[in-house]
Amino acid sequence: MLGRVIVLSAEDVRRAVPMSAAIDAVRDGFRELAAGNFVLPPRQIFGDGAVLVMSAYHPPTGTAVVKKIGIALDQVPAIRATVIWTGDGEQLVAEGSSITTLRTGAVVGVATDLLAPADATRLTVIGTGAQAPDQVRAVLAVRPIADVTITGRSADRATALAQTLAAEFPGVRFTPTTDLDASIATPHIICCATSSATPLFTADALPETVHVNAIGAFRPTMRELPRDLFTNSTVLVDQREAALEESGEIIDAVESGTITTADLIELGPALSNPPHSTGRTVFKSVGVGAQDWAIAAALAQVQRRTSLR
């Protein structure tokens, strides 16, 4: 029987689970996923991706999470979501957009920590929307980044985001730009966080050694990454089945014969058996319910500690 209901705002989420804690929680969540400790029903998609419903059940703890997302790319904010977590006689209802950007940033932090050069100091983020800030926060949490280039189609939005992040990270240099080609010529790490339907760049525009994260394209009709980037790259995905169903880049690369499904390395198992990679590495995420569960479980844990004081 459920007891109290806890309602959390976006501000409550941010105060309770900073990015470093989110990365730890999501890393543990993927270890649990690799161990077979989740029941993950297929994501429900309505209205050509306008509404998504994701859920996850964790049998070892008897806890579960359900998230409903509304997506309208022509509106601000583009994502509106609610997360419901149940367990331990409690029900937690939280503002879901903050959890979505936090857990997406966190999984990029996990993948970047696994694949990117340990001494990486230069980061380029392509995109200035709601997902972009947590992409920066996540990479800065796991690598000694000194220079961040914020690349967007709007100079004003790129500048505004750079200024906001510079105030949060005073020891890091932030450079806004609309020059995509220049911004991807020399970074050690690139994060793509756009809603592009066509590839943002060609592979030959990138450094020979670079780690690329791509989280923006979440429909089969969307593509941030070019087909030729997957050639001779180590390719990591959050979950193979989800990527083959939802990632336009992965679907195209497999259907064209550029890579095979066997080339797709899943994040969870890779945490225990890291791939030996040199040169270019790619992490493609479409998101899985285990990530939402991990953040919601961390929130619930904080609430329990608070109630015991």
Side-chain angles (χ1 to χ4, degrees):
M1 181 176 180
L2 292 178
R4 62 176 183 160
V5 177
I6 304 167
V7 180
L8 300 176
S9 66
E11 292 74 18
D12 294 331
V13 171
R14 292 293 175 174
R15 282 193 297 268
V17 186
M19 181 56 74
S20 58
I23 290 172
D24 290 341
V26 168
R27 184 184 289 112
D28 289 343
F30 272 90
R31 289 193 174 112
E32 287 290 284
L33 180 60
N37 289 336
F38 275 107
V39 177
L40 293 178
R43 187 192 325 237
Q44 294 178 287
I45 303 174
F46 305 99
D48 193 29
V51 177
L52 309 176
V53 178
M54 303 173 64
S55 58
Y57 175 62
H58 188 242
T61 58
T63 57
V65 68
V66 176
K67 181 173 72 173
K68 189 278 292 181
I69 312 172
I71 301 174
L73 298 177
D74 58 344
Q75 299 178 14
V76 178
I79 299 173
R80 294 178 175 86
T82 302
V83 170
I84 301 174
W85 183 91
T86 58
D88 299 327
E90 296 178 337
Q91 182 167 250
L92 184 152
V93 180
E95 193 282 324
S97 299
S98 55
I99 290 178
T100 298
T101 60
L102 180 61
R103 61 84 138 153
T104 305
V107 76
V108 161
V110 174
T112 299
D113 197 29
L114 184 68
L115 294 180
D119 58 353
T121 59
R122 296 189 300 275
L123 166 67
T124 287
V125 176
I126 305 173
T128 58
Q131 294 278 11
D134 278 327
Q135 297 294 295
V136 174
R137 294 180 184 116
V139 175
L140 265 60
V142 299
R143 287 297 181 268
I145 301 297
D147 293 279
V148 178
T149 300
I150 304 293
T151 307
R153 292 176 297 180
S154 165
D156 290 343
R157 291 188 63 174
T159 298
L161 178 56
Q163 290 174 344
T164 297
L165 290 168
E168 187 175 341
F169 300 98
V172 178
R173 183 173 68 179
F174 288 86
T175 303
T177 184
T178 58
D179 189 341
L180 176 60
D181 290 341
S183 73
I184 62 174
T186 61
H188 299 121
I189 300 169
I190 296 172
C191 290
C192 304
T194 77
S195 57
S196 181
T198 57
L200 299 170
F201 46 75
T202 59
D204 59 9
L206 303 180
E208 287 301 314
T209 299
V210 66
H211 173 65
V212 180
N213 299 300
I215 59 92
F218 58 92
R219 298 171 182 164
T221 55
M222 301 168 71
R223 287 175 62 194
E224 292 184 295
L225 305 180
R227 181 187 299 172
D228 56 348
L229 176 59
F230 294 98
T231 304
N232 300 321
S233 290
T234 298
V235 183
L236 188 72
V237 295
D238 41 17
Q239 188 184 51
R240 187 178 291 109
E241 181 181 1
L244 289 169
E245 184 175 334
E246 300 172 24
S247 167
E249 299 101 327
I250 298 298
I251 293 169
D252 174 77
V254 170
E255 288 183 347
S256 67
T258 304
I259 57 174
T260 69
T261 57
D263 294 318
L264 303 176
I265 302 169
E266 291 191 319
L267 176 56
L271 292 171
S272 299
N273 185 25
H276 176 71
S277 56
T278 58
R280 292 173 175 171
T281 56
V282 176
F283 174 57
K284 174 59 195 178
S285 175
V286 294
V288 295
Q291 294 166 243
D292 299 304
W293 177 90
I295 300 299
L299 284 168
Q301 186 177 38
V302 170
Q303 295 305 310
R304 286 196 295 272
R305 288 200 304 263
T306 301
S307 68
L308 292 175
R309 290 176 183 172

